[in-house]
Amino acid sequence: MSAVARIDTATAVLSLPAPLHLGAMTVTRREYSAVQVTADDGTTGIAYCLSREAPMTEIVERLVAPHALGAETDDPAAAWERMLRGSAIVGRVGLVRRAIGLVDIALWDIAARQQGAPLWKLLGTGDAPREAMLVAAYPSPDRTPRAVADEVLRQAAGWSQVKISRIPDPAYMRELLAVLNAELPSTTGLVVDVGFGWPDADTALAEITQWGDPRLAWLEDPLLPEDAAGVARIRQGSGLPVAVGDEVTDPAVLQALVEVGGVEALRLDVVAIGGITPARELIAWAAERGVPVSGHVYPEVTAHLGIQVETFARGVNPYDPAPSFITEGPRFDGTITPLATPGLGFGIDPAVFRFGKD
């Protein structure tokens, strides 16, 4: 029997080529937080996440790690319950749940490594190639719709879906969507990420009517996820499929979106929802209702869950610098195939994340 002996954290800040505007948010850099969990037999597990400028490592150290130390590594679900209960007075959802998610993912990595098996085998999801969505481009006012469309089209072959972000200029969006709808391969669906950019359903519907007649695989995160009724109105009023869930930490929010008929698919952030332990439960719940689940970033982890995986164009899209510190991991070629390597099957560069060092 093995137990958690040590939990180390680290932070890395990586620059972006220019500010990224998504909805009402502006991202000027990518800050990542990571954990390394060590069992008393020396086995280690890792996890990382976008911190979104929140003090994730401090939350792990102060509110989560004390409840994980000593937990048995062959039962991550029991350790998850200890972490949730131990931090319940300030946690349950929000940043504390994200911190629990980091440690939970690392614990599943350890559990699989100790069995000498890939995590997908431990989870029973199989090793078939996963359907994948490529984050292809972020439109901006200084680039023409044609230039953005060409960037997307250069990358689209072989991917079941490609994603762009919304720019709050209806004329620009109308032109861009017209080109992509006309020129994308018929086998490639188009996703538009609004990034919670509209304040309400009326505003959203008024703008969508100015986009012409777009054909979308889905419209992503049009409103704050808690506005399930508003999201349902957008889906019904626009006739467009809708998917919501990025950064959601409360499973009840995702369940409400399904129950009111607001979404075509659920978006699932495996870190934000609290890790692999609650993600498995939510995926099973959605499957019972016939609702597909799509992963939000972290493709190296999501690939083990048996759901659609999201990835940026590796080495092409500069707004995702994570590949610069990830070693090994699954193959990306239009689909994503998890490897047979024990555990999660990837590592992170110790020169970027200096665990246990000042």
Side-chain angles (χ1 to χ4, degrees):
M1 194 70 67
S2 176
V4 176
R6 181 184 177 98
I7 297 177
D8 293 301
T9 65
T11 300
V13 177
L14 303 179
S15 61
L16 296 180
L20 170 61
H21 302 285
L22 184 60
M25 302 168 286
T26 299
V27 180
T28 59
R29 64 181 193 169
R30 294 292 198 188
E31 182 183 79
Y32 295 91
S33 298
V35 299
Q36 179 177 268
V37 178
T38 304
D40 55 14
D41 68 354
T43 307
T44 60
I46 52 132
Y48 77 96
C49 74
L50 286 161
S51 73
R52 306 298 192 192
E53 306 299 319
M56 293 305 305
T57 57
E58 184 176 3
I59 294 171
V60 169
E61 292 166 1
R62 296 182 63 177
L63 298 177
V64 176
H67 308 294
L69 291 170
E72 295 179 359
T73 57
D74 65 344
D75 192 353
W80 187 89
E81 187 71 15
R82 284 176 53 156
M83 292 186 285
L84 182 74
R85 295 288 177 179
S87 61
I89 196 167
V90 291
R92 303 187 305 282
V93 297
L95 293 177
V96 177
R97 192 162 179 117
R98 293 171 70 97
I100 292 172
L102 276 175
V103 178
D104 178 79
I105 291 166
L107 286 171
W108 278 100
D109 190 17
I110 289 176
R113 287 175 185 271
Q114 288 177 328
Q115 292 195 25
L119 182 56
W120 56 261
K121 188 171 184 179
L122 205 64
L123 299 177
T125 57
D127 62 348
R130 295 359 183 177
E131 180 184 339
M133 174 169 63
L134 179 71
V135 182
Y138 289 104
S140 59
D142 61 336
R143 302 173 65 200
T144 66
R146 181 73 251 183
V148 173
D150 286 343
E151 179 182 353
V152 174
L153 293 166
R154 282 194 299 270
Q155 304 172 63
W159 295 89
S160 60
Q161 290 180 351
V162 292
K163 182 162 78 173
I164 61 173
S165 61
R166 158 195 171 255
I167 188 170
D169 177 347
Y172 187 112
M173 288 297 297
R174 184 185 183 99
E175 182 178 349
L176 175 58
L177 294 173
V179 173
L180 290 174
N181 281 158
E183 300 184 24
L184 272 174
S186 60
T187 54
T188 302
L190 178 62
V191 172
V192 173
D193 185 359
V194 183
F196 319 130
W198 288 312
D200 52 56
D202 289 338
T203 304
L205 291 169
E207 185 172 318
I208 292 169
T209 60
Q210 300 176 68
W211 287 2
D213 184 23
R215 299 185 302 280
L216 301 183
W218 66 61
L219 182 72
E220 187 170 296
D221 290 326
L223 306 178
L224 292 177
E226 292 76 13
D227 186 1
V231 171
R233 278 196 59 214
I234 292 172
R235 186 183 183 196
Q236 295 159 8
S238 68
L240 295 174
V242 176
V244 179
D246 291 12
E247 311 291 350
V248 170
T249 65
D250 186 352
V253 170
L254 297 178
Q255 291 167 338
L257 287 160
V258 171
E259 288 165 353
V260 301
V263 292
E264 187 81 10
L266 277 180
R267 294 277 292 163
L268 178 67
D269 185 315
V270 65
V271 175
I273 207 64
I276 290 168
T277 297
R280 295 178 75 194
E281 296 177 359
L282 191 58
I283 292 167
W285 180 90
E288 290 175 355
R289 290 152 181 81
V291 177
V293 178
S294 170
H296 174 232
V297 295
Y298 315 125
E300 303 83 8
V301 177
T302 307
H304 291 276
L305 295 174
I307 60 175
Q308 184 193 52
V309 175
E310 174 183 71
T311 184
F312 284 66
R314 308 224 142 195
V316 177
N317 191 326
Y319 289 99
D320 177 31
S324 69
F325 62 74
I326 291 172
T327 60
E328 302 177 337
R331 297 186 296 272
F332 299 84
D333 56 2
T335 59
I336 296 179
T337 304
L339 304 182
T341 310
L344 286 168
F346 76 96
I348 49 182
D349 189 343
V352 177
F353 291 99
R354 299 174 64 82
F355 294 112
K357 301 178 182 179
D358 296 329

